[in-house]
Amino acid sequence: MLLISSFTMEKPIRNRVLLVDGVINLGLGVALLFFDALASRLGVPASDTSFYPMILGGVLFGIGIALVWECLRGEEQVAGLGLGGAIAINLCGGLVLSAWLVFGDLALPMRGQVFLWCLAAVLVLISLVELGVHARR
């Protein structure tokens, strides 16, 4: 409802395009997050693991949030594709990666686990730092 009430014909065409792009990215992100369940139904090739499609889904979902945020923000708010976009993209990617590492039953060597946990930690920590910077503004 907020999306519809915030989006009026008075908004420039740029905002309409951003909104459509954002909704598409959100949809693609959700579809990729549920890749295993949807692959056969959509008739797309399955893969040995849905790890990479789901990580991409998390990133696309973050991009979708950033685009919608940019479209709906007021003049005093942080830009969705600036700091806000970085927060959304990094946080979604880091959280999906963390979920995979906890629940994904990945058969990774220790060096792979260490690398991916460090990557997830960096993504989430940089998002928290960016949120702190945004809160101070």
Side-chain angles (χ1 to χ4, degrees), residues 37-99:
L38 291 175
S40 63
R41 288 187 180 132
L42 295 174
V44 297
S47 70
D48 293 339
T49 176
S50 56
F51 176 79
Y52 294 108
M54 287 185 73
I55 296 298
L56 178 59
V59 172
L60 282 174
F61 193 81
I63 292 169
I65 290 171
L67 290 167
V68 171
W69 186 348
E70 177 68 18
C71 175
L72 301 177
R73 75 180 177 94
E75 293 301 317
E76 299 299 318
Q77 294 175 325
V78 68
L81 295 175
L83 185 58
I87 293 167
I89 294 164
N90 291 335
L91 193 57
C92 286
L95 291 176
V96 169
L97 177 56
S98 297

Side-chain angles (χ1 to χ4, degrees), residues 7-135:
F7 186 71
T8 65
M9 294 306 284
E10 298 169 6
K11 299 272 185 175
I13 188 75
R14 173 185 172 275
N15 284 9
R16 287 184 233 150
V17 171
L18 284 175
L19 180 63
V20 170
D21 191 5
V23 169
I24 289 169
N25 275 280
L26 287 168
L28 289 172
V30 169
L32 286 170
L33 286 169
F34 295 99
F35 180 77
D36 282 341
L38 291 175
S40 63
R41 288 187 180 132
L42 295 174
V44 297
S47 70
D48 293 339
T49 176
S50 56
F51 176 79
Y52 294 108
M54 287 185 73
I55 296 298
L56 178 59
V59 172
L60 282 174
F61 193 81
I63 292 169
I65 290 171
L67 290 167
V68 171
W69 186 348
E70 177 68 18
C71 175
L72 301 177
R73 75 180 177 94
E75 293 301 317
E76 299 299 318
Q77 294 175 325
V78 68
L81 295 175
L83 185 58
I87 293 167
I89 294 164
N90 291 335
L91 193 57
C92 286
L95 291 176
V96 169
L97 177 56
S98 297
W100 256 100
L101 290 168
V102 172
F103 303 110
D105 194 29
L106 300 173
L108 298 173
M110 182 58 72
R111 69 181 181 280
Q113 289 183 23
V114 169
F115 171 74
L116 291 176
W117 274 114
C118 287
L119 179 60
V122 166
L123 290 169
V124 171
L125 288 174
I126 193 69
S127 297
L128 294 175
V129 169
E130 290 165 340
L131 277 170
V133 168
H134 172 61

